[in-house]
Amino acid sequence: MRIRANVVKTFLVLSLLFLLPACGVWDFFSAYFNTYYNARTQYGLAVDEIWAMPELRESGKNMLALVPIGTGPRSKFTSVIEKCSKLLQYHPESNLVDDALLMIGRSYYFSGEYQQADRKCRELLDRYPDSPLLDETKILLSYSLYKSRDTVASEELAMKLLEDATARDEDQLVAEAALVLGQLALDRKANLRARQMLELVGANASDTDMRANAFLRVAELYAEEKDYGAAENAYARARGLSRGYGGEFRGLFGAAKMVAKQGTYDAALDRLEDLRGSLNYRESWGDIDVEIANVYRDMGDIAKAVEHYRYVDTAYVRSEAALNANYELGLLYEMRFQMYDSAKTSYDRARSGPTFAKNMPAIVRKSDYLGRFLQYRRDVNRLDSTLLAVLHPPDTLQVKDSVVVHADSLGRDSTAMTRADSLTPKPPPVPAVHPDTVRTRLAAAIDDLAGVFYANMELPDSARVWYRRLVREFPGSKAAPRAFYVLARIESSDSTVDRAVPDSLYRRIVEKYPLSPFADEARRLLGMPPLVRAADVAEESYARGVQLMQAGKAKAAIDTFSVLVKHFPGSPAAVRAMYAAGWLYENEAKSQDSAAAFYERLVAKAPSSTYALKVGPRVQEVQAARRVAQEKARADSVAKAAAAAAALDSIKAKQAPKVSAAQDSLKGKPGAAAAVTDSARAKVAGGVPAVTDSAALKRAGTAPAAIDSAKVRPPGEDPEAEGARRRPRPGAQPGTKQANPRETPEEQRVD
């Protein structure tokens, strides 16, 4: 229908061109037709590039299977949109306007701009209700609505199209509408309806690849329902319709797997070996080898299965086939043999494969929970040994023979025998830890281990064993209420267990742990009234603080929150109170230091809370500013110390010539050098020598009577000597410095 409409439109345009010979008219229509022709050519090239992509080559031109396109097709679609927009602008009454609108809508759709495509489709439907392109436009609109996640509108439109197309025997339209409905059913896990719609696609589509892909999906749905015979037939139909090696292989390979699922292992192996021997499918040899290993596993030949899995891991390293081989090997170790160490190793090897692989999420999940399981199991074993050593310390008695030493007559030692009896080994040191601490840690480790068994590995029997040990040996631990609750859930899910068993466990929770949250759930399940809890003083205090804050009484609210934090530091309300007090200090009291103090306490107490995340940046700013201030103060202190040292060095440098001159003047005067030097040094240091070494003067030849060391005193201690020294000499001018008769001119210069 689409081709016939385009032919008619082209014929009419060409007829008009021949009927209007004027040059201006000819140029007008020539430009008009060239614009449309160029747009149509660019659109065709872009679409061909998309369907030639490896991931879409055998999709049957399924518009719902599109992937992001490259820059080449995208630039062509942009050009198409520009040319068609010009045609709409300059030739709004043209017979090709509806075709240009649909081309723009398709270009937007292929480019991933589904809202724009939706808008152009609705414009065409509104402006041209009699256009022969209405069905194609409605299908494109249904696709766009699906991609825009308006599934309700998409389903309504597709259902109406399916009814109309069925009434008119429009097979291709039936297939395209059923394709949308089938995809919607798959998204909703409605496998029966999805299979019915996909079978309509396979029976009515004009493109054989689209039909083949529909039957392949039908076969997968039959396999999920364990109807392996119907799945084999669907795979066979898909193989007969496929035009490429890819679709053909998927049909043959799927049929071989369904034969194995039906228990005909030898026939399945023959089919798989035939596929393995064909060079046409060499890119899929790794997948074939994995399936051969699966068949051996299902036959019970575990040795051959493991051998094939390991071969695939070696021959196709880091490929998706190697990933699948390690995954299947891990499942074998985990599920059949409970060899969890080996299973963890296989899953870890599989994790090195392609991240986009279908089984990668399951591999990551299994690797993670088996890692936790192995760690918890090691913790339990270690803590069991520690508790045993603490409660029953080993005997530390050791037997050792002493060394026998004899002394001979010459006084020399001779060792007669030196032997340390090592029959009793030295026991390991007993850990210095309290038994209650070990019990607490052991209870937590058992709870973790049982939780992995129950929640991750889905082994309720193993979980039951460990939870029973927990409630039996550690009934006072924090994990005991949860252990009783999970035990009750396990027993209630077992159809062979009397209903009274889980009820008795729920009652024990209510009796032994009445304040536990599990007790609240147990009361609900038993039909008991909920527990009326006493008022929480901390929460009431926080509520009063909030009321004061809302009333504008910031200071009173801060006091209330501060008291709450001081008296109830372990309450959940304390975290909120710290945040509220800090906020009030920051925004109402304008005391940034106090706000920062509360914020820092909050982050230290509850670093992962919502409030800590809010104030974290502010705390970081305060701490950074504090570090800067501390570094500046440290730098200032260092600078001051350096300045003081420099000043002292300057003083010493200025006094050095005077000291040197004094020493030079005394050269050759024995006895006086030491005294003058000491005097000069004392003056440089700000004082005078208190004692003169008379012995040194005697050795220098000075008479002891000249300087009696016993009578020498500092100035001010001998009044007579001090007065005589300060008494002015005859002829001296008042106000001038009097020379000391006992000082040389050089000594006076030093003063």
Side-chain angles (χ1 to χ4, degrees):
M1 180 181 66
R2 171 66 182 277
I3 297 175
R4 186 168 58 250
N6 287 337
V7 170
V8 172
K9 290 180 178 180
T10 304
F11 176 75
L12 291 173
V13 171
L14 291 175
S15 299
L16 288 171
L17 291 176
F18 283 109
L19 290 173
L20 299 171
C23 292
V25 176
W26 172 262
D27 292 340
F28 174 80
F29 279 101
S30 176
Y32 158 70
F33 187 76
N34 283 339
T35 302
Y36 174 78
Y37 176 79
N38 291 333
R40 170 62 62 186
T41 302
Q42 290 290 312
Y43 175 80
L45 292 174
V47 171
D48 290 342
E49 289 182 27
I50 289 175
W51 297 128
M53 294 171 66
E55 53 267 54
L56 297 176
R57 190 174 299 150
E58 297 184 12
S59 66
K61 298 182 179 179
N62 182 356
M63 297 282 283
L64 297 179
L66 292 178
V67 296
I69 63 176
T71 57
R74 187 178 298 278
S75 63
K76 290 182 176 65
F77 285 127
T78 302
S79 177
V80 170
I81 293 170
E82 291 175 355
K83 293 179 184 300
C84 290
S85 298
K86 289 182 180 179
L87 192 148
L88 295 175
Q89 181 181 0
Y90 296 112
H91 310 284
E93 302 301 327
S94 167
N95 290 331
L96 297 176
V97 170
D98 56 346
D99 194 272
L101 281 171
L102 182 58
M103 207 184 313
I104 293 174
R106 285 179 176 273
S107 298
Y108 278 130
Y109 183 86
F110 279 115
S111 300
E113 301 179 39
Y114 305 118
Q115 296 292 341
Q116 300 282 3
D118 181 304
R119 197 155 47 243
K120 289 301 175 183
C121 289
R122 294 184 188 276
E123 182 180 349
L124 194 157
L125 294 173
D126 294 339
R127 292 177 57 185
Y128 304 97
D130 298 327
S131 171
L133 305 176
L134 291 183
D135 290 337
E136 294 180 58
T137 305
K138 290 178 181 178
I139 282 293
L140 179 60
L141 178 58
S142 180
Y143 291 157
S144 301
L145 290 169
Y146 173 79
K147 289 291 188 178
S148 300
R149 299 184 181 181
D150 190 352
T151 56
V152 175
S154 177
E155 185 173 20
E156 290 177 355
L157 182 56
M159 195 65 205
K160 190 174 186 307
L161 281 170
L162 179 62
E163 295 172 356
D164 294 343
T166 303
R168 302 198 312 260
D169 291 330
E170 293 280 352
D171 293 343
Q172 180 60 25
L173 187 58
V174 168
E176 292 181 345
L179 183 64
V180 178
L181 295 172
Q183 187 61 51
L184 287 166
L186 286 173
D187 295 342
R188 295 168 184 163
K189 308 297 183 183
N191 289 354
L192 177 59
R193 179 168 174 77
R195 195 180 72 236
Q196 293 171 347
M197 292 296 105
L198 291 171
E199 286 177 341
L200 283 177
V201 176
N204 293 278
S206 58
D207 188 283
T208 54
D209 284 334
M210 181 179 285
R211 296 176 63 192
N213 279 284
F215 281 120
L216 286 172
R217 194 68 186 94
V218 168
E220 293 170 358
L221 292 173
Y222 274 125
E224 291 179 12
E225 298 171 7
K226 301 188 184 305
D227 190 347
Y228 301 122
E232 181 187 356
N233 292 333
Y235 277 122
R237 294 183 69 181
R239 183 255 176 181
L241 290 168
S242 297
R243 293 178 295 183
Y245 287 127
E248 183 181 73
F249 171 75
R250 290 172 64 192
L252 291 171
F253 186 57
K257 291 195 293 185
M258 294 305 103
V259 169
K261 291 294 185 182
Q262 295 175 71
T264 315
Y265 300 119
D266 292 335
L269 286 174
D270 290 340
R271 293 195 184 193
L272 292 170
E273 292 292 349
D274 290 342
L275 290 173
R276 183 64 172 77
S278 175
L279 293 176
N280 293 333
Y281 313 127
R282 59 182 175 275
E283 294 182 356
S284 301
W285 282 355
D287 297 328
I288 297 171
D289 286 331
V290 173
E291 190 56 35
I292 290 174
N294 291 340
V295 174
Y296 279 123
R297 177 201 61 198
D298 296 341
M299 292 173 63
D301 194 342
I302 303 301
K304 279 190 175 181
V306 172
E307 179 183 354
H308 274 74
Y309 287 137
R310 290 177 175 169
Y311 166 75
V312 173
D313 179 43
T314 304
Y316 310 97
V317 61
R318 292 190 180 86
S319 66
E320 189 168 2
L323 177 146
N324 292 330
N326 280 303
Y327 177 57
E328 296 292 344
L329 184 58
L331 289 175
L332 183 65
Y333 284 135
E334 179 187 0
M335 301 299 183
R336 184 170 297 190
F337 299 111
Q338 289 76 50
M339 298 170 61
Y340 300 119
D341 293 322
S342 300
K344 176 69 164 59
T345 301
S346 296
Y347 292 142
D348 287 344
R349 290 185 64 84
R351 292 184 73 163
S352 64
T355 57
F356 57 81
K358 177 182 177 181
N359 289 325
M360 182 58 80
I363 290 168
V364 172
R365 180 177 61 84
K366 286 180 172 293
S367 175
D368 288 344
Y369 76 62
L370 279 183
R372 295 197 304 274
F373 162 77
L374 295 173
Q375 181 61 49
Y376 297 151
R377 189 175 65 179
R378 286 192 294 268
D379 291 344
V380 170
N381 293 335
R382 175 177 56 82
L383 291 168
D384 273 334
S385 301
T386 303
L387 184 61
L388 181 63
V390 170
L391 295 178
H392 307 287
D395 188 5
T396 59
L397 180 63
Q398 297 183 355
V399 178
K400 286 190 177 181
D401 293 338
S402 61
V403 177
V404 181
V405 179
H406 298 277
D408 60 13
S409 58
L410 297 177
R412 293 172 299 182
D413 292 341
S414 62
T415 302
M417 181 182 65
T418 303
R419 184 172 65 86
D421 191 348
S422 58
L423 295 178
T424 305
K426 184 178 180 180
V430 178
V433 61
H434 196 276
D436 289 344
T437 302
V438 182
R439 291 190 183 96
T440 301
R441 296 174 182 174
L442 180 57
I446 292 174
D447 180 45
D448 291 334
L449 181 61
V452 173
F453 273 124
Y454 180 70
N456 300 116
M457 303 175 70
E458 298 180 359
L459 297 174
D461 291 337
S462 299
R464 180 191 284 120
V465 171
W466 288 100
Y467 278 129
R468 283 178 175 173
R469 180 189 172 185
L470 178 61
V471 299
R472 181 178 63 253
E473 298 182 12
F474 310 101
S477 67
K478 294 181 179 180
R482 178 171 55 252
F484 274 114
Y485 182 79
V486 177
L487 279 173
R489 300 293 293 178
I490 293 173
E491 301 297 348
S492 62
S493 62
D494 190 345
S495 59
T496 62
V497 176
D498 187 13
R499 178 63 193 175
V501 175
D503 287 349
S504 65
L505 292 171
Y506 288 137
R507 289 191 179 89
R508 291 187 67 180
I509 298 174
V510 173
E511 293 170 0
K512 298 187 66 172
Y513 316 101
L515 300 180
S516 167
F518 297 99
D520 295 336
E521 182 64 14
R523 291 187 187 92
R524 186 187 68 81
L525 294 172
L526 292 172
M528 300 173 62
L531 179 67
V532 179
R533 300 180 183 273
D536 191 331
V537 179
E539 291 292 344
E540 291 180 351
S541 178
Y542 178 77
R544 285 196 303 272
V546 171
Q547 291 175 355
L548 292 170
M549 182 172 62
Q550 292 174 346
K553 300 178 180 179
K555 186 178 183 307
I558 290 173
D559 293 341
T560 302
F561 291 136
S562 301
V563 171
L564 189 158
V565 171
K566 179 180 179 181
H567 291 92
F568 306 98
S571 172
V575 176
R576 286 174 277 142
M578 284 187 281
Y579 175 75
W583 187 91
L584 288 170
Y585 269 125
E586 181 180 9
N587 297 280
E588 298 294 335
K590 305 300 180 183
S591 177
Q592 303 302 321
D593 293 340
S594 299
F598 271 101
Y599 288 157
E600 286 183 305
R601 290 180 63 186
L602 169 59
V603 171
K605 181 177 179 59
S608 60
S609 66
T610 304
Y611 304 100
L613 296 177
K614 288 182 179 180
V615 303
R618 175 68 177 134
V619 171
Q620 292 175 0
E621 292 177 3
V622 171
Q623 292 175 346
R626 184 182 300 144
R627 286 194 297 270
V628 171
Q630 291 174 349
E631 292 174 359
K632 185 177 182 303
R634 190 179 300 111
D636 291 344
S637 176
V638 171
K640 290 179 180 179
L648 181 60
D649 291 340
S650 177
I651 293 173
K652 290 181 178 179
K654 289 179 180 179
Q655 296 295 334
K658 298 180 181 181
V659 175
S660 178
Q663 292 175 345
D664 293 341
S665 65
L666 293 177
K667 286 180 180 179
K669 296 181 179 181
V676 173
T677 301
D678 290 341
S679 175
R681 288 176 181 170
K683 290 179 180 179
V684 170
V688 294
V691 179
T692 302
D693 189 352
S694 60
L697 296 178
K698 289 178 182 180
R699 286 193 298 269
T702 304
I707 300 176
D708 189 353
S709 61
K711 297 181 180 180
V712 174
R713 294 184 178 86
E717 293 186 9
D718 189 349
E720 295 182 0
E722 189 69 6
R725 188 174 67 85
R726 294 183 178 180
R727 190 177 300 116
R729 296 196 308 270
Q733 296 295 328
T736 60
K737 180 179 179 181
Q738 304 300 315
N740 190 340
R742 297 174 59 186
E743 291 180 346
T744 65
E746 288 78 9
E747 289 174 323
Q748 297 177 27
R749 182 162 48 84
V750 170
D751 291 338

